[in-house]
């Protein structure tokens, strides 16, 4: 297990393009089918919390290949390969079919790789009920775009709950899977890309900055393919390319800062409990807003074990917030609370429902303020309705 994964697992258990290829119809995450009586067909199968916005939610899956770059983990791959799920505001009664959570093989590799998920049946996890529909008719109008990047070794589907909620609030959300940085990513042709990067980091001594810098370029490529003259997504016209944000969990959160440093199109970013692996340039992010959202423990309070937050903070020269949430752990900022509760796994003290509410509320408030220009008093200081959230000014 890589050092990055081991650190994340320890944190969780402490509380127990020259020729880009785009395929919009090749969906490797086909719905899980199971005969009656099997676990995947159970009535009480896990379910993501319902989205809180006014829109229905649509879902599309894109397979993208950037032939202009050499993949740093597998140079012989023939380019940098990405899977992207786009959640978007959909019209009411817009049709479509229920979107699957993940393939059983993807969740099998996840449960094998994350020790705290060791007794989770892969079939049940892959059958998680979502609240989005594939091929749903999009809502009218232009909508801000938010990009999501998952933690090291986990996949984009682990941020589905947040993606669906943002889409229901009127955002187009593109969740990225970065090739060879996940326990398992299903791609067209029946292939599975596994975590070559895990071995490279753990046994090969490769620095985490290789991942964050590569992910930053992945983000720029996806922006090109979603907002360029010949977009890869059929509903790309609903994206307002002048309003783009990014959030990520763990190393995906660190990648949000790297992406902003390298691409002025990303207007605002959130790091959800991730260590920074690259130093920001002297000019920081050029005054663009950035929020740190992490665990309220010895790791991510000011002066905590993760010194990268203290080092990075002074270079965030624009609007910025440093928030920590009591009773949480590293995986709180993903779908993990739902999984832990359903399968009765060891978990941190804050109930899953509260974790979900807090994460969704503060992420949405940040993007509402900085992509939509809607003032959010919630971000001005402590709020009596959310006493778990601490504001810090190092």
């Amino acid at each position: 297990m890589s050092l990055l994964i081991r650190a994340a697992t320890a944190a969780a258990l402490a509380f127990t393009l020259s020729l880009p290829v785009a395929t919009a119809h090749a969906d490797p995450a086909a719905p899980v089918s199971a005969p009656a009586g099997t676990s995947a067909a159970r009535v009480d199968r896990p379910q993501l919390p319902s989205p809180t916005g006014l829109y229905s939610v649509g879902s599309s899956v894109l397979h993208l290949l950037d032939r202009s770059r050499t993949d740093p983990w597998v140079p012989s791959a023939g380019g940098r390969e990405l899977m992207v799920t786009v959640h978007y505001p959909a019209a009411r009664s817009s049709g479509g079919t229920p979107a699957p959570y993940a393939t059983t093989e993807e969740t099998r590799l996840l449960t094998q790789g994350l020790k705290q998920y060791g007794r989770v049946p892969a079939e049940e996890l892959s059958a998680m009920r979502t609240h989005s529909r594939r091929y749903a008719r999009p809502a009218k109008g232009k909508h801000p775009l938010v990009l999501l990047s998952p933690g090291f070794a986990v996949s984009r589907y682990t941020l589905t709950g947040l993606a669906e909620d943002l889409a229901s609030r009127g955002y187009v959300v593109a969740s990225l899977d970065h090739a060879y940085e996940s326990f398992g990513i299903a791609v067209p042709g029946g292939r599975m890309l596994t975590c070559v990067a895990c071995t490279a980091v753990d046994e090969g001594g490769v620095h985490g900055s290789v991942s964050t810098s590569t992910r930053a370029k992945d983000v720029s490529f996806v922006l090109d393919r979603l907002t360029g003259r010949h977009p890869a997504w059929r509903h790309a016209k609903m994206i307002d390319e002048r309003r783009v944000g990014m959030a990520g969990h763990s190393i995906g959160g660190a990648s949000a800062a790297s992406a902003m440093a390298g691409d002025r199109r990303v207007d605002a970013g959130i790091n959800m409990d991730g260590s920074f692996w690259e130093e920001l340039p002297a000019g920081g992010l050029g005054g663009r807003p950035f929020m740190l959202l992490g665990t309220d423990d010895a790791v991510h309070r000011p002066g905590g074990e993760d010194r990268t937050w203290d080092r990075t903070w002074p270079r965030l020269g624009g609007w910025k917030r440093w928030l920590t949430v009591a009773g949480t752990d590293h995986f709180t900022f993903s779908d993990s609370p739902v999984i832990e509760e359903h399968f009765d796994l060891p978990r941190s003290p804050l109930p899953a429902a509260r974790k979900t509410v807090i994460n969704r509320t503060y992420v949405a408030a940040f993007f509402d303020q900085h992509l939509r220009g809607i003032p959010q008093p919630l971000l001005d200081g402590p709020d009596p309705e959310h006493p778990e959230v601490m504001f810090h000014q190092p």
Side-chain angles (χ1 to χ4, degrees):
M1 183 186 300
S2 88
L3 297 175
L4 293 176
I5 306 165
R6 188 180 299 126
T9 304
L13 294 179
F15 291 98
T16 57
L17 195 216
S18 58
L19 290 172
V21 173
T23 310
H25 2 306
D27 187 349
V32 176
S33 58
T38 64
S39 58
R42 296 187 339 169
V43 175
D44 64 338
R45 68 182 183 179
Q47 176 172 311
L48 292 172
S50 298
T52 58
L54 299 177
Y55 291 96
S56 296
V57 180
S59 174
S60 302
V61 175
L62 306 176
H63 173 231
L64 304 176
L65 178 61
D66 183 359
R67 296 188 185 277
S68 71
R69 286 189 292 152
T70 299
D71 191 288
W73 311 113
V74 181
S76 61
R80 180 67 173 165
E81 195 166 10
L82 302 170
M83 295 301 299
V84 180
T85 296
V86 183
H87 290 93
Y88 56 93
R92 293 290 179 183
S93 303
S94 55
T97 58
Y101 186 63
T103 68
T104 299
E105 181 63 10
E106 285 176 315
T107 56
R108 184 185 69 79
L109 291 170
L110 176 71
T111 57
Q112 287 180 350
L114 283 184
K115 298 306 180 186
Q116 62 266 42
Y117 285 5
R119 58 188 179 88
V120 174
E123 294 82 2
E124 291 188 42
L125 182 54
S126 66
M128 174 100 76
R129 292 181 188 271
T130 69
H131 298 278
S132 49
R133 300 183 72 82
R134 299 189 300 169
Y135 318 119
R137 181 164 48 87
K140 295 180 180 179
K142 290 277 192 178
H143 302 269
L145 172 66
V146 173
L147 301 123
L148 295 180
S149 181
F152 194 74
V154 298
S155 296
R156 69 191 190 281
Y157 62 81
T158 62
L159 297 175
T160 300
L162 179 60
E164 289 186 335
D165 189 64
L166 286 170
S168 78
R169 295 172 184 251
Y171 292 90
V172 175
V173 184
S175 303
L176 283 62
D177 248 331
H178 309 272
Y180 305 108
E181 295 186 25
S182 166
F183 289 125
I185 303 171
V187 295
R191 295 175 297 132
M192 185 69 65
L193 308 185
T194 55
C195 198
V196 177
C198 296
T199 303
V201 171
D202 191 19
E203 300 176 11
V206 176
H207 196 264
S209 60
V210 175
S211 175
T212 53
S213 61
T214 301
R215 289 187 182 209
K217 293 175 183 176
D218 292 343
V219 167
S220 292
F221 173 68
V222 170
L223 278 174
D224 291 342
R225 300 300 292 128
L226 290 179
T227 65
R229 294 182 60 185
H230 303 288
W233 184 46
R234 61 181 299 187
H235 303 309
K237 289 184 178 179
M238 70 186 301
I239 296 174
D240 184 348
E241 61 188 57
R242 300 165 302 172
R243 297 182 291 169
V244 177
M246 181 175 173
H249 172 233
S250 195
I251 204 167
S255 301
S258 298
M260 290 179 69
D263 196 323
R264 290 289 309 183
R265 291 176 294 179
V266 185
D267 301 303
I270 304 174
N271 178 354
M272 299 184 292
D273 212 54
S275 298
F276 291 97
W277 291 88
E278 296 180 270
E279 298 289 339
L280 290 182
L285 301 178
R288 285 168 291 167
F290 200 86
M291 185 166 75
L292 306 177
L293 180 63
T295 53
D296 185 58
D297 54 17
V299 177
H300 279 142
R301 293 177 189 147
E305 296 169 9
D306 184 357
R307 298 293 184 181
T308 67
W309 280 33
D310 293 278
R311 290 200 304 267
T312 303
W313 180 255
R315 292 200 172 186
L316 298 174
W319 186 102
K320 58 184 178 181
R321 292 293 184 272
W322 183 327
L323 309 183
T324 57
V325 186
T328 60
D329 58 51
H330 183 64
F331 286 98
T332 287
F333 309 95
S334 67
D335 293 338
S336 191
V338 176
I339 298 167
E340 292 166 350
E341 183 174 75
H342 181 84
F343 294 103
D344 195 23
L345 304 178
R347 50 196 180 270
S348 53
L350 194 64
R354 281 299 294 163
K355 292 174 181 175
T356 297
V357 166
I358 288 170
N359 198 40
R360 288 177 166 187
T361 299
Y362 280 83
V363 169
F366 175 85
F367 288 126
D368 281 351
Q369 178 158 316
H370 297 295
L371 297 185
R372 287 194 163 122
I374 304 171
Q376 299 292 313
L378 180 70
L379 300 177
D380 293 339
D383 182 80
E385 293 188 10
H386 302 92
E388 306 93 339
V389 181
M390 315 294 175
F391 282 67
H392 303 281
Q393 290 292 335

